[in-house]
Amino acid sequence: MTGLHPDTATPPAPTVAPPPWPPADASVVLKGVSKSFSGLVAVSDIFLALQPGVTALLGPNGAGKSTLLRLICGLARPSTGTVWVAGGNPRFDADVRARIGLVPQQDGVFESLTALETVELAARLSRLAEPRVEARRALALVELDPTMTRPVGTFSKGMRQRVKVAQALVHDPALLILDEPLNGLDPRQRHHLIELFAELGHSGRTVLVSSHVLEEVERFGSRVVVVAKGRLVAEGDYRQIRNLLNQQPHRIRVECDRPRAMAIGLMALEPVISCTVTDTGDRRLPPDRAPAGPLAAQADSTMSAPAVEVTTNDVAELRRALPVVAKRLDLTLSGVVPLDDDLESVFRYLVGGPPGGAQR
Amino acid sequence: MMLYRMLLGQQLTKARILLITGFSVLAIVLALSIGAQVDPANRIESVIGFLSVYGLGFMVPILCLLLASSTLGQLVEDETLVYLWLRPNPRWQLALASWAAAATIALPTTVLPLTAAAAIGTGSQAEAVGATALSMALAAVGYTGLFTLIGLVLRRALLWGLVYIFIWELFVARAGAGAARLSLNTYPHSVLARLTDIELPLAERSMTAALIVPPAVAAVSVALTAWWLDRTEVA
């Protein structure tokens, strides 16, 4: 289900009955959950249902992401509201906790144990029949050598992080909670773990990943939950969320052979707010002076196509009008590219600018 | 068992080994010195008096505090408790393993050197040696339980533990009979006094109570630790 918090935008009036909430296949359901610490509200009135697959939890630093994850795991008690995981309460139901795997944000690990001992301890506490075998399997998943005799205390941050992921995976949990799981990892390891989490999501596990690196979040998938100032701001597919942000004009790049003429033509249209010619194409060399062979490709790659950047509050209407305008003015339309339906833009609109948290 | 081994492995740091060694050597040297200096007729009384103050008043509670308060306290402080808390084990297992890990180190490192000190100081007087071993063991069992709980429940557990040892046990407990009953120290003192037939301050409990209360304190503390683990919020 895609939606915005009522404070964020007014979604169009529904024409059909809304789907039932929580969905039948939801493995995590939070109903009216709030959490305060000494009078300070960390999380406020959250209604959230998570289904199998990967969901990214986004929000600036201090937005309440970690508190929300702790509530889901049962590590913290909600001040109000209820948390249900796999039909039970994770705070008091050991069988529910057995189905959760958590990679906490903090760096702390059992410094004196080896990687194998750390993961084997987790396996034993999870009552697995063959803890050592399972520990080796989990370490292999994160590409760590189980025969290493060094204590985890001597590991680099990236290696510790992978030990934390391995202990979370060792009992093959149905719900995997990952709080900034890619911190300290090199690009290759990041790529590997992103693929691993995506694979777990595809195989029916519910994976909730908190991250403030938006580029990584986009690679996890398109389903996001956005929190800001302790409130759930939006949830669902971020592209659909963008479409619901009606009060935020859309920016579209229209590529054509004569952008000035296109800009003039578009300004006459009702849904168009402004037009900016970003590249007239004038700098391009005439065909008789243009470089040939490999140089041509190089020159093309360094020059953007002639284009006009259009701000509109009705993308659908603009898309319908564009071919009509192009035909009327005898222009050649070569591309229409949305400029702000990426995750970063959606995030910026929802929480008010690239925050101390979110980064690319 | 692996949980117990892990917690046990975290107990002995270089600083703690140095402190245990220092306390142990000092106990033996002082007992030897007292035994050598005093009149043979008063030797047992003097050495037992010294062990009641040094052993039961300082060494046992301080070493137990140091070891037991950090068992779960360290996990809370470095935020690794989450790895144990989130697993589907009963809380009492973690509480019991924590107490057992602390007691495994505290018992031999307090009982053995203090018993050796009693043997050296009294010329291996059997009653004194036996009473010392039993009273120190009872104290270690009770204190490790109590301080395991305090380590989980209180921030700056070491400080609060020292306040308890020095303010409550050494001063408040001696002020009146009611307060003395709430002092853990009074029970092993009573065992030491009754088995050696020597008068000691605070030694006013019956032998039965003195034998039962310290293990009962440990058991109740373990139960409360498990209860607290169930209700605590974990970082």
Side-chain angles (χ1 to χ4, degrees):
Chain A
M1 192 162 67
T2 298
L4 298 172
H5 187 276
D7 293 348
T8 312
T10 310
T15 52
V16 290
W21 195 94
D25 62 342
S27 48
V28 176
V29 177
L30 278 73
K31 284 185 182 173
V33 169
S34 299
K35 179 68 182 171
S36 308
F37 298 102
S38 310
L40 190 75
V41 179
V43 162
S44 176
D45 201 26
I46 300 271
F47 284 82
L48 176 67
L50 295 177
Q51 292 156 283
V54 181
T55 303
L57 177 62
L58 297 176
N61 285 343
K65 300 192 295 290
S66 291
T67 303
L68 193 57
L69 297 184
R70 288 178 60 221
L71 286 163
I72 291 172
C73 292
L75 298 169
R77 197 176 23 243
S79 305
T80 58
T82 53
V83 177
W84 290 103
V85 175
N89 184 336
R91 258 195 87 71
F92 302 111
D93 192 335
D95 291 335
V96 170
R97 285 200 302 278
R99 305 180 70 177
I100 300 175
L102 169 70
V103 176
Q105 190 178 20
Q106 59 262 25
D107 284 335
V109 284
F110 299 122
E111 305 263 330
S112 59
L113 301 187
T114 65
L116 182 61
E117 285 169 343
T118 303
V119 183
E120 191 184 338
L121 174 63
R124 283 186 189 280
L125 294 175
S126 296
R127 306 167 186 164
L128 300 186
E130 293 184 289
R132 181 149 290 211
V133 174
E134 294 301 331
R136 287 176 182 276
R137 180 193 61 80
L139 285 168
L141 283 176
V142 297
E143 298 184 333
L144 274 178
D145 178 5
T147 62
M148 274 188 299
T149 52
R150 286 164 55 197
V152 177
T154 65
F155 280 15
S156 68
K157 189 176 167 68
M159 288 170 77
R160 283 165 172 249
Q161 198 69 7
R162 283 189 277 158
V163 173
K164 284 161 61 182
V165 173
Q167 66 78 34
L169 293 175
V170 71
H171 54 303
D172 193 17
L175 170 64
L176 193 57
I177 304 285
L178 309 159
D179 198 353
E180 305 281 358
L182 306 178
N183 277 356
L185 296 176
D186 62 44
R188 203 187 70 77
Q189 284 302 331
R190 280 174 181 242
H191 177 73
H192 172 68
L193 285 190
I194 286 170
E195 283 193 340
L196 176 63
F197 300 148
E199 202 178 298
L200 289 167
H202 288 313
S203 65
R205 276 80 165 182
T206 303
V207 183
L208 181 60
V209 192
S210 157
S211 178
H212 62 272
V213 183
L214 298 179
E215 193 176 11
E216 287 170 4
V217 170
E218 273 179 324
R219 290 163 66 191
F220 285 128
S222 59
R223 200 187 323 167
V224 297
V225 169
V226 185
V227 290
K229 295 176 183 171
R231 287 183 170 275
L232 182 68
V233 179
E235 70 169 300
D237 185 301
Y238 67 81
R239 295 179 197 93
Q240 291 174 28
I241 292 171
R242 176 64 188 97
N243 289 335
L244 292 176
L245 288 164
N246 293 328
Q247 83 283 27
Q248 195 69 50
H250 294 251
R251 291 188 303 121
I252 310 286
R253 179 182 165 87
V254 179
E255 295 172 355
C256 60
D257 55 346
R258 286 185 291 132
R260 284 182 199 282
M262 175 62 92
I264 292 164
L266 289 175
M267 279 308 291
L269 299 177
E270 180 76 17
V272 172
I273 298 166
S274 69
C275 289
T276 308
V277 178
T278 56
D279 192 334
T280 60
D282 296 345
R283 284 182 282 113
R284 296 202 162 208
L285 296 171
D288 58 322
R289 290 175 58 196
L295 284 176
Q298 193 182 347
D300 274 352
S301 70
T302 57
M303 282 189 286
S304 57
V308 54
E309 199 177 299
V310 184
T311 308
T312 174
N313 51 21
D314 191 340
V315 177
E317 179 60 33
L318 178 72
R319 283 183 185 273
R320 275 193 294 273
L322 271 173
V324 179
V325 174
K327 190 174 179 188
R328 180 162 52 81
L329 298 175
D330 195 22
L331 304 172
T332 307
L333 202 55
S334 53
V336 179
V337 184
L339 293 176
D340 62 354
D341 70 347
D342 61 337
L343 182 57
E344 186 179 359
S345 303
V346 172
F347 186 83
R348 196 170 54 238
Y349 294 150
L350 286 170
V351 302
Q359 56 186 238
R360 270 209 180 253
Chain B
M1 198 63 187
M2 193 174 185
L3 176 63
Y4 163 74
R5 280 208 308 272
M6 188 276 287
L7 294 167
L8 191 63
Q10 294 195 330
Q11 287 285 317
L12 284 180
T13 60
K14 279 181 187 168
R16 286 179 193 172
I17 292 170
L18 275 176
L19 198 71
I20 289 167
T21 308
F23 263 120
S24 304
V25 169
L26 192 63
I28 291 168
V29 168
L30 289 175
L32 191 63
S33 160
I34 291 165
Q37 281 176 13
V38 298
D39 183 342
N42 297 328
R43 186 184 289 167
I44 294 174
E45 193 175 340
S46 302
V47 171
I48 292 299
F50 157 71
L51 289 174
S52 80
V53 174
Y54 179 85
L56 290 177
F58 294 97
M59 183 170 163
V60 177
I62 288 174
L63 287 185
C64 288
L65 170 65
L66 206 66
L67 295 163
S69 68
S70 68
T71 318
L72 286 172
Q74 185 65 40
L75 301 182
V76 173
E77 202 162 297
D78 61 21
E79 299 180 326
T80 49
L81 181 60
V82 62
Y83 297 113
L84 308 179
W85 193 96
L86 200 56
R87 301 291 164 185
N89 290 63
R91 303 298 182 212
W92 65 262
Q93 280 185 5
L94 177 55
L96 188 64
S98 303
W99 169 78
T104 301
I105 304 293
L107 274 165
T109 56
T110 53
V111 174
L112 291 179
L114 289 167
T115 306
I120 291 166
T122 62
S124 297
Q125 209 273 343
E127 277 179 1
V129 172
T132 303
L134 182 59
S135 60
M136 301 303 163
L138 284 169
V141 166
Y143 278 122
T144 44
L146 185 64
F147 292 138
T148 300
L149 172 65
I150 285 179
L152 174 68
V153 172
L154 298 177
R155 299 268 162 180
R156 298 197 190 96
L158 207 57
L159 181 70
W160 288 113
L162 288 173
V163 166
Y164 171 77
I165 292 166
F166 288 109
I167 307 294
W168 184 268
E169 299 262 296
L170 288 183
F171 291 100
V172 179
R174 286 162 200 258
R181 272 179 209 284
L182 296 175
S183 161
L184 184 56
N185 218 304
T186 186
Y187 299 94
H189 262 98
S190 302
V191 171
L192 190 59
R194 287 180 192 283
L195 289 181
T196 55
D197 212 14
I198 292 169
E199 251 186 55
L200 293 171
L202 286 175
E204 291 157 7
R205 308 279 83 82
S206 71
M207 193 63 183
T208 312
L211 288 172
I212 289 173
V213 170
V217 166
V220 170
S221 297
V222 169
L224 285 174
T225 303
W227 179 83
W228 190 271
L229 277 169
D230 214 29
R231 276 145 189 82
T232 193
E233 300 212 342
V234 182

